[in-house]
Amino acid sequence: MPDGREYRATSVAGLPPLQEHGPLVDHKIPQDDVVQAQPDLTWSRIRHYMREPFAEFFGTFILIMFGDGVVAQVVLSNGENGDYQSISWGWGLGVMLGVYTSGISGAHLNPAVTFANCVFRKFPWRKLPIYLVAQTLGAFVASLVVYANYKSAIDVFEGGQNIRTVPGYSETATAGIFCTYPAPFMTRTGMFFSEFIASSLLMFLIYALKDDGNIGAGNLTPLGLFFIIFGIGACFGWETGYAINLARDFGPRVASYAVGYGSEVFEAGGYYFWIPMVAPFFGCTFGGWLYDMFMFTGESPVNTEAAGLLRLAKPTRKVWSNTYEEKHGHMA
Amino acid sequence: MPDGREYRATSVAGLPPLQEHGPLVDHKIPQDDVVQAQPDLTWSRIRHYMREPFAEFFGTFILIMFGDGVVAQVVLSNGENGDYQSISWGWGLGVMLGVYTSGISGAHLNPAVTFANCVFRKFPWRKLPIYLVAQTLGAFVASLVVYANYKSAIDVFEGGQNIRTVPGYSETATAGIFCTYPAPFMTRTGMFFSEFIASSLLMFLIYALKDDGNIGAGNLTPLGLFFIIFGIGACFGWETGYAINLARDFGPRVASYAVGYGSEVFEAGGYYFWIPMVAPFFGCTFGGWLYDMFMFTGESPVNTEAAGLLRLAKPTRKVWSNTYEEKHGHMA
Amino acid sequence: MPDGREYRATSVAGLPPLQEHGPLVDHKIPQDDVVQAQPDLTWSRIRHYMREPFAEFFGTFILIMFGDGVVAQVVLSNGENGDYQSISWGWGLGVMLGVYTSGISGAHLNPAVTFANCVFRKFPWRKLPIYLVAQTLGAFVASLVVYANYKSAIDVFEGGQNIRTVPGYSETATAGIFCTYPAPFMTRTGMFFSEFIASSLLMFLIYALKDDGNIGAGNLTPLGLFFIIFGIGACFGWETGYAINLARDFGPRVASYAVGYGSEVFEAGGYYFWIPMVAPFFGCTFGGWLYDMFMFTGESPVNTEAAGLLRLAKPTRKVWSNTYEEKHGHMA
Amino acid sequence: MPDGREYRATSVAGLPPLQEHGPLVDHKIPQDDVVQAQPDLTWSRIRHYMREPFAEFFGTFILIMFGDGVVAQVVLSNGENGDYQSISWGWGLGVMLGVYTSGISGAHLNPAVTFANCVFRKFPWRKLPIYLVAQTLGAFVASLVVYANYKSAIDVFEGGQNIRTVPGYSETATAGIFCTYPAPFMTRTGMFFSEFIASSLLMFLIYALKDDGNIGAGNLTPLGLFFIIFGIGACFGWETGYAINLARDFGPRVASYAVGYGSEVFEAGGYYFWIPMVAPFFGCTFGGWLYDMFMFTGESPVNTEAAGLLRLAKPTRKVWSNTYEEKHGHMA
């Protein structure tokens, strides 16, 4: 497990991750206020090591509960208990409340945000897979809970207990509750571009909200996230459903496959499913680069020689590891 | 009456309950700035003892004024002066303004929240019935005021002064203004599950907003409650009407019975009325447990030996009373 | 002109009125930072005396610009550029932005709020008529600007340049843009009750937001006002149009009479026009009393002997003047 | 390039512009934390000089991404994925997030706001053309990105890849996505008046939010801007589309001409295009004057002899330059 001291990632959550408490590599459990009053308890010890994955799991869980929940309510009630605006609200406040839930881990809630933090904000690379798995699992489980909650209504809407259909294959499809499917007129390039643009906006604006050299949103950051997500949904949500997040899209997609929506969940839109998995990584990286290149004056690879591009030619651990210095001494 | 010092309940309201003022068991009235400049006044003395029930009464009163009020306006104007979104707004801001009203008592506004605070946050058990009664009375009285205000419009909508009908029994039913009735396709299990899920989300998120070891919403907590309630309404409000609160549902239900809606208010949906009374206690307890188990590092029974489960086997006052230590000395 | 020191009114605006600057009765102009760098300028001197009326004028002006403006846009565009929700938004943010404009004077924006502050918060009685006039004039002028802005659209909607009609007298009436008219099914008692209830909620909640012995909304108070007004509009706005304010209703009503809507603006709804002039004074006084009686522990006549009722039997200056003590020495 | 010390403009953004770092006229690069750790880097040096134009460029870019984006989504989806309310949301949050982006430069985002700051808040006149160009370019580029993103959908809506039409010339016009076109019933005077009124409100309220002698919105200023823009859209947005901003309207108009909408983008509405270029300068100046004349007690030309009107008769550099004193010594 990584040393808690080693990163200074920009957390979405407006607060730095809780300071970690001493070198865990020594296999000692620190006796402080974060670990319980009774640190000898097995569960407290487990939880101490698992705090960040737990936080990402539950943060993404909350996000999908509200996000998939609102789509379910709007679709299944035929718009009687909500409309497109409700969907903007649901995803916006889902992210906001997910951020409040997962401040401990930096509230990434999105593998592409974690990736951009690795590239631009010294977040440790080896945490990337852990975060990705926790986020995707959180989304997977939440979408199953939403499915269980709306099962009767889905039966009524689809016309039977064994009928589960995907947009483009049926007029009464409900798979769109769980993950995104593109509008029929979109080209492949257009789909990628739409997800790319929306992800770039997301990352650019997260870095803007978090930049103390700019205005900085401070304790209003979770509220700022509400407006960002609401805005992306209202302005760039129609064409591809603004997944902008591997965990948010792939987790529930697998869940919908598991409960019986069939292989169409992957085949629909010309195997569209990989676009919301891949495009956000490019988009968030570009958005983060754009902010750092033109606006950010803090510590960033972009603010080094040749705008950090020389790094691309030096794929060594010494250059790329965000934790190298702590382990091997300062490079000066 | 209980000693005001004895609890450290997590109040919804973003602020701790007002510090109490000395041991009331001594039957002395403390002479400080919270009790009036003239503490000898009979009313000041009564009010001092009654501050918490008054606060819960008026907080829930405000909640129901806006909550039942918005449903009345939307239903009775046939959607011309509001739609489903308005209902999410009304309940969301009703809770927010109710919280601002009742900070003195911790702004529970919901017996299940009070119960979870007893279990997880050392809120004194003996205050539970007092809070429950004050909350339910506040909701009862508010729904009568809403009824009085909209009486003419109800007469027009129902088709006569003596016609008062309940959803499922009539096309022009108005009983749904006051308390919740389930959607017709719901199974009994589905009803319970829906209320359980929504209550769990409520409690989990209240504890997240209030956790200073996490981000913590601070003075934005009432606004955070607005988003939580808005979200539950937009995402999980269709199937059962998201009562998630005995006081909110039972108080107005009795009021609607009292003004002549007939015994159908209890019989509808297969005697549905008990579900929003019972499920929130299970849901809020589960949601609180979930947060404490996986996220919370502060003082909680879950953060004791065997995750607090041993307590279940020891139903003694010494173990369960949240006020035992203060009375009998610290247990060490 | 009154001495600026003499009141401690609860301002809506979250901040105390600017401290006044020395005894104006000495006819000296204080040389400080509030009066200009060049206090000898005639205009600076005039403005210093007129600051509070100016602030109330412009605060109410802003309120009516947005409030009447949104109704104009929704009505005249046949709901294509807004719906009932927009109206809740417009009035809510109109009050919020009006409060930001008029913090200097306490941001009352409503004669009934000023009146309640005189009764419960020691606001000087002799400022009441000044405030009432400034507020009503602000509303009057703003509604004329809205009229000028939407004149072409009104001509199109009414069907001609000389046609101006009032709700209840025509299908294409536009007088409802400027002031309120009751729904046709309302009884006289119902009208009064509806305005009374809404005004009570307004004042009760303003005092709750402002009570530092409760949670207190602090710098979020203007935002809290947005939610209060939005809520009153969404929950109690249909029956009478929630004027809850003499200035907001009477000023624009006279303006609409002046531009040619005819005497029907006063006759409509059985001479309804007096109800939104009178009911808010009763409602705000009741709401303020309710808060002080059951919740407030600060300085208030209600928190004196016999809950302040003895005052009603002693209509003397010594008892009722909020500025008596400063002039005649402390009564002890 | 101007000396960074020389202005105290009221920035929209709630924070003063970053303190500049020594006299740039000396051609030295200051070695501090704003310039990078490696100030010798060419790019850091370029960026240091270009920080303000970059900030205005990206701030306006963000504004138009969300603003034009939401209109595109609402129009092209035939209102299925948004309605008029969404448009109010999109522009409101576009401004809010643009302000968070461009705090470095004062977050003007609008040449008329920059102009008013030159007149009333000592913002250096020579920065006006730089800001105007940066803002207009940001809007121009953003509208091209929106066009690229929605190209397929525009093809479908217009009926072909080569068909691009302007409101008033076609039933399926899409040029209204990018810039504003007036409602058909408007007179020339009415158009100008509507833009004038809305711009006056904008500037008056910005100065109100920023006035620390009033309540002042502090760190809630970006949120306050959201409400101002939402309000102008909901209350004064129908007649002319509330451009109230040369950059917001002219940049995208040229972009729409460049991608093939034809000369009708300028000819429509009787060569309407110049009105949103000119009227905001008059409106913002009037709104700023109104606030300073009646409400503001800080430093402003209005708060000098004869309310600053004598300045109009003295068009000398000594009187009008906001940077004269710093260069030539204090005039005393």
Side-chain angles (χ1 to χ4, degrees), chain B residues 5-17:
Chain B
R5 281 185 189 158
E6 72 204 357
Y7 65 93
R8 281 171 298 176
T10 290
S11 79
V12 164
L15 284 188

PDB file of all heavy atoms in Angstrom, chain B residues 5-17:
ATOM      1  N   ARG B   5     -26.938  18.564  29.232  1.00  0.00           N
ATOM      2  CA  ARG B   5     -25.545  18.334  28.869  1.00  0.00           C
ATOM      3  C   ARG B   5     -25.279  16.967  28.282  1.00  0.00           C
ATOM      4  O   ARG B   5     -24.218  16.719  27.758  1.00  0.00           O
ATOM      5  CB  ARG B   5     -24.675  18.407  30.135  1.00  0.00           C
ATOM      6  CG  ARG B   5     -24.395  19.796  30.577  1.00  0.00           C
ATOM      7  CD  ARG B   5     -23.445  19.738  31.745  1.00  0.00           C
ATOM      8  NE  ARG B   5     -23.294  21.045  32.342  1.00  0.00           N
ATOM      9  CZ  ARG B   5     -22.899  21.249  33.576  1.00  0.00           C
ATOM     10  NH1 ARG B   5     -22.642  20.215  34.353  1.00  0.00           N
ATOM     11  NH2 ARG B   5     -22.771  22.463  34.055  1.00  0.00           N
ATOM     12  N   GLU B   6     -26.254  16.088  28.387  1.00  0.00           N
ATOM     13  CA  GLU B   6     -25.884  14.697  28.303  1.00  0.00           C
ATOM     14  C   GLU B   6     -25.753  14.127  26.901  1.00  0.00           C
ATOM     15  O   GLU B   6     -25.392  12.980  26.748  1.00  0.00           O
ATOM     16  CB  GLU B   6     -26.884  13.864  29.079  1.00  0.00           C
ATOM     17  CG  GLU B   6     -28.232  13.770  28.395  1.00  0.00           C
ATOM     18  CD  GLU B   6     -29.319  13.480  29.400  1.00  0.00           C
ATOM     19  OE1 GLU B   6     -29.018  13.309  30.574  1.00  0.00           O
ATOM     20  OE2 GLU B   6     -30.484  13.417  29.002  1.00  0.00           O
ATOM     21  N   TYR B   7     -26.030  14.878  25.879  1.00  0.00           N
ATOM     22  CA  TYR B   7     -25.926  14.275  24.554  1.00  0.00           C
ATOM     23  C   TYR B   7     -25.036  15.086  23.636  1.00  0.00           C
ATOM     24  O   TYR B   7     -24.811  16.258  23.830  1.00  0.00           O
ATOM     25  CB  TYR B   7     -27.319  14.104  23.947  1.00  0.00           C
ATOM     26  CG  TYR B   7     -28.016  15.391  23.676  1.00  0.00           C
ATOM     27  CD1 TYR B   7     -27.930  15.995  22.441  1.00  0.00           C
ATOM     28  CD2 TYR B   7     -28.755  16.015  24.675  1.00  0.00           C
ATOM     29  CE1 TYR B   7     -28.570  17.185  22.200  1.00  0.00           C
ATOM     30  CE2 TYR B   7     -29.388  17.200  24.436  1.00  0.00           C
ATOM     31  CZ  TYR B   7     -29.308  17.778  23.201  1.00  0.00           C
ATOM     32  OH  TYR B   7     -29.932  18.945  22.948  1.00  0.00           O
ATOM     33  N   ARG B   8     -24.558  14.362  22.665  1.00  0.00           N
ATOM     34  CA  ARG B   8     -23.794  15.002  21.599  1.00  0.00           C
ATOM     35  C   ARG B   8     -24.337  14.569  20.253  1.00  0.00           C
ATOM     36  O   ARG B   8     -23.607  14.168  19.378  1.00  0.00           O
ATOM     37  CB  ARG B   8     -22.316  14.612  21.708  1.00  0.00           C
ATOM     38  CG  ARG B   8     -21.566  15.378  22.756  1.00  0.00           C
ATOM     39  CD  ARG B   8     -20.203  14.773  22.933  1.00  0.00           C
ATOM     40  NE  ARG B   8     -20.333  13.405  23.393  1.00  0.00           N
ATOM     41  CZ  ARG B   8     -19.306  12.583  23.560  1.00  0.00           C
ATOM     42  NH1 ARG B   8     -18.084  12.986  23.305  1.00  0.00           N
ATOM     43  NH2 ARG B   8     -19.489  11.363  23.973  1.00  0.00           N
ATOM     44  N   ALA B   9     -25.633  14.620  20.118  1.00  0.00           N
ATOM     45  CA  ALA B   9     -26.267  14.122  18.902  1.00  0.00           C
ATOM     46  C   ALA B   9     -25.764  14.896  17.700  1.00  0.00           C
ATOM     47  O   ALA B   9     -25.454  16.066  17.775  1.00  0.00           O
ATOM     48  CB  ALA B   9     -27.774  14.282  19.000  1.00  0.00           C
ATOM     49  N   THR B  10     -25.692  14.183  16.588  1.00  0.00           N
ATOM     50  CA  THR B  10     -25.417  14.866  15.334  1.00  0.00           C
ATOM     51  C   THR B  10     -26.685  15.559  14.901  1.00  0.00           C
ATOM     52  O   THR B  10     -27.669  14.918  14.562  1.00  0.00           O
ATOM     53  CB  THR B  10     -25.010  13.855  14.266  1.00  0.00           C
ATOM     54  OG1 THR B  10     -23.737  13.357  14.616  1.00  0.00           O
ATOM     55  CG2 THR B  10     -24.933  14.504  12.898  1.00  0.00           C
ATOM     56  N   SER B  11     -26.676  16.862  14.943  1.00  0.00           N
ATOM     57  CA  SER B  11     -27.859  17.579  14.502  1.00  0.00           C
ATOM     58  C   SER B  11     -27.765  17.763  13.008  1.00  0.00           C
ATOM     59  O   SER B  11     -26.693  17.913  12.437  1.00  0.00           O
ATOM     60  CB  SER B  11     -27.952  18.925  15.176  1.00  0.00           C
ATOM     61  OG  SER B  11     -27.097  19.843  14.569  1.00  0.00           O
ATOM     62  N   VAL B  12     -28.906  17.727  12.389  1.00  0.00           N
ATOM     63  CA  VAL B  12     -28.953  17.962  10.958  1.00  0.00           C
ATOM     64  C   VAL B  12     -28.500  19.375  10.645  1.00  0.00           C
ATOM     65  O   VAL B  12     -28.011  19.683   9.574  1.00  0.00           O
ATOM     66  CB  VAL B  12     -30.397  17.766  10.466  1.00  0.00           C
ATOM     67  CG1 VAL B  12     -30.597  18.359   9.102  1.00  0.00           C
ATOM     68  CG2 VAL B  12     -30.732  16.297  10.454  1.00  0.00           C
ATOM     69  N   ALA B  13     -28.593  20.229  11.621  1.00  0.00           N
ATOM     70  CA  ALA B  13     -28.616  21.648  11.322  1.00  0.00           C
ATOM     71  C   ALA B  13     -27.269  22.296  11.169  1.00  0.00           C
ATOM     72  O   ALA B  13     -27.191  23.482  10.977  1.00  0.00           O
ATOM     73  CB  ALA B  13     -29.377  22.344  12.430  1.00  0.00           C
ATOM     74  N   GLY B  14     -26.224  21.567  11.224  1.00  0.00           N
ATOM     75  CA  GLY B  14     -24.936  22.192  10.975  1.00  0.00           C
ATOM     76  C   GLY B  14     -24.360  22.851  12.202  1.00  0.00           C
ATOM     77  O   GLY B  14     -23.231  23.307  12.203  1.00  0.00           O
ATOM     78  N   LEU B  15     -25.126  22.928  13.243  1.00  0.00           N
ATOM     79  CA  LEU B  15     -24.636  23.506  14.479  1.00  0.00           C
ATOM     80  C   LEU B  15     -25.032  22.586  15.604  1.00  0.00           C
ATOM     81  O   LEU B  15     -26.060  21.920  15.529  1.00  0.00           O
ATOM     82  CB  LEU B  15     -25.266  24.877  14.722  1.00  0.00           C
ATOM     83  CG  LEU B  15     -24.714  26.021  13.892  1.00  0.00           C
ATOM     84  CD1 LEU B  15     -25.287  27.309  14.383  1.00  0.00           C
ATOM     85  CD2 LEU B  15     -23.206  26.052  13.964  1.00  0.00           C
ATOM     86  N   PRO B  16     -24.247  22.502  16.629  1.00  0.00           N
ATOM     87  CA  PRO B  16     -24.666  21.707  17.773  1.00  0.00           C
ATOM     88  C   PRO B  16     -25.882  22.353  18.421  1.00  0.00           C
ATOM     89  O   PRO B  16     -26.099  23.556  18.282  1.00  0.00           O
ATOM     90  CB  PRO B  16     -23.457  21.785  18.700  1.00  0.00           C
ATOM     91  CG  PRO B  16     -22.768  23.043  18.331  1.00  0.00           C
ATOM     92  CD  PRO B  16     -23.005  23.221  16.865  1.00  0.00           C
ATOM     93  N   PRO B  17     -26.675  21.548  19.103  1.00  0.00           N
ATOM     94  CA  PRO B  17     -27.750  22.141  19.876  1.00  0.00           C
ATOM     95  C   PRO B  17     -27.164  23.194  20.819  1.00  0.00           C
ATOM     96  O   PRO B  17     -26.013  23.084  21.235  1.00  0.00           O
ATOM     97  CB  PRO B  17     -28.326  20.961  20.665  1.00  0.00           C
ATOM     98  CG  PRO B  17     -27.838  19.742  19.969  1.00  0.00           C
ATOM     99  CD  PRO B  17     -26.578  20.107  19.274  1.00  0.00           C
TER     100      PRO B  17
END
